[in-house]
Structures are given as C-alpha cells and as structure tokens.
Amino acid sequence: MIKSMTGFGRSEIATEECKIAVEIKAVNHRYCDLSIKLPKKLNALEAAVRGQVKQAVGRGKIDIYISYEDLTEHNSTVRLNESLGCEYKRAIEALGQLLEVPDDVTAMKIARLPEVMTLEETARDLEGVARTLEEAVAQALVQFSESRRKEGEHLKLDILSKLEDMDKNITEIEKRYPAIVSEYRKKLEDKVHNLLEDAGVDESRLATEVVIYADKICVDEETVRLRSHTKNMTDELQKGGSVGRKLDFIAQEMNREANTILSKANDIEISNCAIELKTEIEKIREQVQNIE
C-alpha cells in the first residue's frame, strides 16, 4: 500500500469529565517532523501523543492540534492562607496605633489583600484524561491514514501511467537507432561517390567510419538501464510500503540516463523522444516527493 505524505484527520470525544478534539494535518517533508500544540494543562501527555503518532507515521511534516475542555461543575476551590491573613490584621492594627488613627479592619478587606485567598483548580484525573486523549488521537489517526492511503493510490496510478509512456518512448528510440546508422551509411556513400565519381569506394574504410559513428551515437546501454529502472519503480509501487526515498533515487537515475541519450542524440526523432522522457521523469519526481 502506497501512502501520500499529505493528509488530514479529525476526531472529538466527550465524556462526563471533559471534551477533547484532535486535528492532524501533514505535508511533505524529508523526515518525520512532529509539531504538537496542546493546552498547558496537558503538557505532561505530550510525549505519549508523540510516541503514538510516530508508530503510525513514517515521514512528513505533521501538525497536531489538541483542544481540551473541562466539563466538571466543581473544578476549582478557594484556598485561604490563614496565617497570612492574621499577619495582615496585626500589621494593620499596629499601623493604626503608630499613626494614631482608627483602624477599620474587616474580614472582607483582608481577603482582598494579595495571597490571602486564592483560587485553585481541583486535581484532575490525569489518567482518565490520558485514556480519552489516546482514544481521540487513535480515531484521528485512522481518518488521517485513510486520507493518505487514498491520495497515495492516486499517486501510484498516475506514476504507473507515466512509466508506461516512458516505455513507449524507449521503444521508439530503440527502433530508430538502426535506421539512423543506415541513413548515415547511405549519406556517406553518396558523398564519396559525388567526390570520387568513377573511382572505387574503399568499402573497409567506409565500414570503419560507419562503425565509429554508430558507436558514438549508440544508446543501447542507456535504454537497457532505463527499462531496468522503470521496471524497478513499477515493482516498488506494487509492493508498497514506505518507498518514497527509494523511488526518488530511482527517478534521479532515470534522469541521468535520459540526459545521456539527449547528449548523444544526432537525430531529431531521438532528441524529441529524449525530451519527452525527461518531461515524464520530471513529472514522476514531483509525484514521488509526495510519497511516504
């Protein structure tokens, strides 16, 4: 199975205690680059989420957004710092006596002073939240993986189609090569006859020149290697798995062979076929960049 590196998945789970939503988005990347954004309250669970995602994803730049809502009715308590309140009271009374002014100390006024009364959230059942988060991430990953699988299947079919077009161009080059040599021999014979008129033609010298020319423009090695590369890429696509890096390397080798054919080409038809090959290879390389 071929997977694209582009994908999206979302899930939301609500319990009596909380509601957690998870979104996963991914684009192309050479490695597995995870970015997790979650509330500070859940920072302790980041490592678990990271490990869970890495088990399911090989490559890609993956952004994970997690939102958390506490649904409990009594999730906060008031903490009273009694000793600090008493200290404030004594200090205010002492200040009144020192300044010889009446003090009007009340509990409400002392409660408003810093750190006397603070609001604290009650301890959460972090294990329960962790289980809910794990389930939400798992559900989002299912949708995420399915979207990548569908996109990967489209990429696979497109690349296979382009590989078939490449094979057709390779066949045209292989058919054209013998004709080029024959045409060159005929032109050479005509040229020699025109120059020497009735004088005899040195067939051995003519044959030598034709052999030198044929060797110069020969692209047999390149076409054989190209066919090997197209077959190898087809096999890898059919086999599936995380083959993106390998396919990219094969595409680079294809491009190298096509460049060599183009540099050797001394014929407009072969040049056109080589240009078509390079065009298809470039399209394949663009598609391969999206495969995990």
Side-chain angles (χ1 to χ4, degrees):
M1 180 174 61
I2 296 294
K3 286 186 179 181
S4 168
M5 280 191 282
T6 303
F8 175 82
R10 187 180 190 283
S11 72
E12 183 177 299
I13 295 180
T15 66
E16 293 181 357
E17 291 77 24
C18 65
K19 181 169 72 174
I20 294 178
V22 177
E23 281 191 3
I24 304 176
K25 300 177 182 178
V27 293
N28 305 345
H29 198 275
R30 291 183 64 187
Y31 309 106
C32 183
D33 180 15
L34 286 180
S35 174
I36 302 175
K37 297 180 181 178
L38 73 172
K40 290 183 179 180
K41 301 173 184 179
L42 304 183
N43 277 345
L45 303 177
E46 180 177 344
V49 173
R50 189 175 296 274
Q52 187 179 358
V53 174
K54 280 193 171 183
Q55 287 182 350
V57 180
R59 281 204 302 160
K61 187 181 185 309
I62 304 154
D63 293 311
I64 303 170
Y65 303 92
I66 298 172
S67 64
Y68 170 83
E69 183 180 350
D70 195 333
L71 301 179
T72 56
E73 295 181 2
H74 305 290
N75 59 351
S76 299
T77 58
V78 176
R79 187 178 69 85
L80 172 62
N81 192 333
E82 297 178 4
S83 60
L84 182 60
C86 292
E87 287 295 327
Y88 274 126
K89 181 176 181 296
R90 283 194 292 270
I92 293 171
E93 289 175 346
L95 182 62
Q97 292 175 6
L98 178 64
L99 299 179
E100 297 181 350
V101 295
D103 60 67
D104 55 348
V105 181
T106 65
M108 181 59 72
K109 289 182 178 180
I110 294 177
R112 291 173 180 170
L113 295 173
E115 302 299 326
V116 175
M117 297 179 68
T118 55
L119 193 64
E120 290 185 347
E121 292 188 354
T122 55
R124 293 183 196 83
D125 177 15
L126 197 58
E127 290 186 4
V129 173
R131 287 193 295 269
T132 303
L133 178 58
E134 181 181 2
E135 186 180 350
V137 172
Q139 290 183 10
L141 282 172
V142 169
Q143 190 181 115
F144 174 73
S145 296
E146 181 62 17
S147 70
R148 295 181 103 196
R149 186 197 64 76
K150 288 181 179 179
E151 178 64 20
E153 190 63 25
H154 291 314
L155 292 174
K156 172 184 172 181
L157 294 175
D158 184 63
I159 294 173
L160 289 174
S161 173
K162 288 176 171 53
L163 289 172
E164 289 180 3
D165 292 338
M166 283 183 61
D167 279 332
K168 292 176 183 177
N169 279 299
I170 295 170
T171 300
E172 290 300 318
I173 291 172
E174 291 171 337
K175 287 180 179 178
R176 178 62 184 157
Y177 172 71
I180 297 174
V181 177
S182 298
E183 290 172 6
Y184 179 75
R185 182 183 180 91
K186 181 69 169 58
K187 287 179 182 178
L188 199 59
E189 287 177 346
D190 292 344
K191 198 172 200 179
V192 170
H193 280 301
N194 289 335
L195 290 173
L196 301 180
E197 295 180 350
D198 296 332
V201 178
D202 187 344
E203 289 294 333
S204 63
R205 181 61 186 274
L206 186 64
T208 300
E209 290 295 328
V210 172
V211 168
I212 292 173
Y213 177 76
D215 184 64
K216 181 180 178 181
I217 66 167
C218 181
V219 292
D220 287 353
E221 291 183 14
E222 288 75 16
T223 55
V224 168
R225 282 196 289 266
L226 266 176
R227 286 201 184 278
S228 175
H229 292 325
T230 57
K231 183 180 183 307
N232 193 8
M233 184 172 283
T234 300
D235 291 343
E236 290 297 328
L237 285 168
Q238 299 293 3
K239 183 171 64 177
S242 298
V243 295
R245 288 192 180 95
K246 189 169 186 178
L247 295 182
D248 187 46
F249 175 76
I250 296 173
Q252 291 179 42
E253 293 301 307
M254 286 178 174
N255 194 53
R256 194 193 311 275
E257 303 302 337
N259 282 333
T260 304
I261 292 173
L262 191 59
S263 66
K264 287 184 175 182
N266 194 23
D267 176 75
I268 187 64
E269 291 185 30
I270 288 184
S271 293
N272 288 337
C273 286
I275 291 171
E276 286 295 324
L277 279 174
K278 284 180 62 64
T279 301
E280 293 299 324
I281 292 169
E282 189 58 34
K283 291 177 182 178
I284 288 173
R285 289 189 69 181
E286 289 178 2
Q287 297 290 55
V288 164
Q289 299 300 319
N290 296 315
I291 294 177
E292 184 180 53

